[in-house]
């Protein structure tokens, strides 16, 4: 994957996460604060916990840090997968649901 392809794909991921959080706020599902600085997106939950997703351009990876741990994702066969083959949006949904106390589902 070229650098420009990586940046486009990574930006699309961050934008889709922000869009989901905005929808949940408008639909009164959960109030998650978002703060984006360049390739870093921070999600702040009502209980004070955070999830951070950031781009790693030199490695062509996305990294996620949550209460459950830290994860590294590479774009493989059209999906962002960690070293165990777990998909980013699946892991993010599980971590966000646990931290928000309500079932949440992120998707590409």
């Amino acid at each position: 994957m070229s650098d420009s392809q990586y940046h486009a794909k990574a930006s699309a991921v961050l934008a889709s996460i922000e869009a989901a959080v905005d929808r949940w706020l408008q639909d009164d599902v959960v109030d998650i604060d978002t703060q984006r600085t360049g390739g870093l997106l921070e999600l702040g939950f009502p209980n004070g916990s955070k999830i951070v997703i950031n781009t790693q351009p030199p490695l062509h990876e996305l990294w996620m840090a949550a209460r459950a741990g830290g994860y590294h994702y590479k774009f493989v066969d059209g999906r962002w997968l960690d070293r165990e083959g777990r998909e980013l949006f699946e892991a993010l949904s599980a971590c966000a649901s646990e931290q928000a106390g309500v079932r949440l589902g992120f998707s590409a």
Side-chain angles (χ1 to χ4, degrees):
M1 170 181 352
S2 71
D3 287 347
S4 62
Q5 289 171 319
Y6 166 77
H7 286 293
K9 290 180 186 317
S11 290
V13 167
L14 299 181
S16 75
I17 294 168
E18 287 177 303
V21 169
D22 288 345
R23 276 192 313 275
W24 294 329
L25 179 60
Q26 286 187 341
D27 294 344
D28 203 25
V29 173
V30 65
D31 184 4
I32 299 172
D33 293 324
T34 62
Q35 184 172 345
R36 186 168 171 182
T37 307
L40 184 141
L41 177 61
E42 184 176 281
L43 307 178
F45 292 84
N47 64 4
S49 67
K50 296 187 183 311
I51 292 178
V52 178
I53 298 105
N54 65 311
T55 60
Q56 295 296 317
L59 303 172
H60 287 188
E61 291 183 350
L62 290 174
W63 290 4
M64 180 177 73
R67 282 198 311 207
Y71 309 91
H72 299 190
Y73 298 89
K74 283 193 168 286
F75 195 74
V76 179
D77 297 327
R79 301 184 316 155
W80 290 97
L81 302 175
D82 70 8
R83 294 175 181 142
E84 283 91 42
R86 188 169 182 200
E87 200 267 332
L88 168 66
F89 291 105
E90 173 189 320
L92 177 58
S93 296
C95 290
S97 296
E98 187 270 324
Q99 289 180 224
V102 62
R103 188 159 198 217
L104 301 172
F106 288 91
S107 60

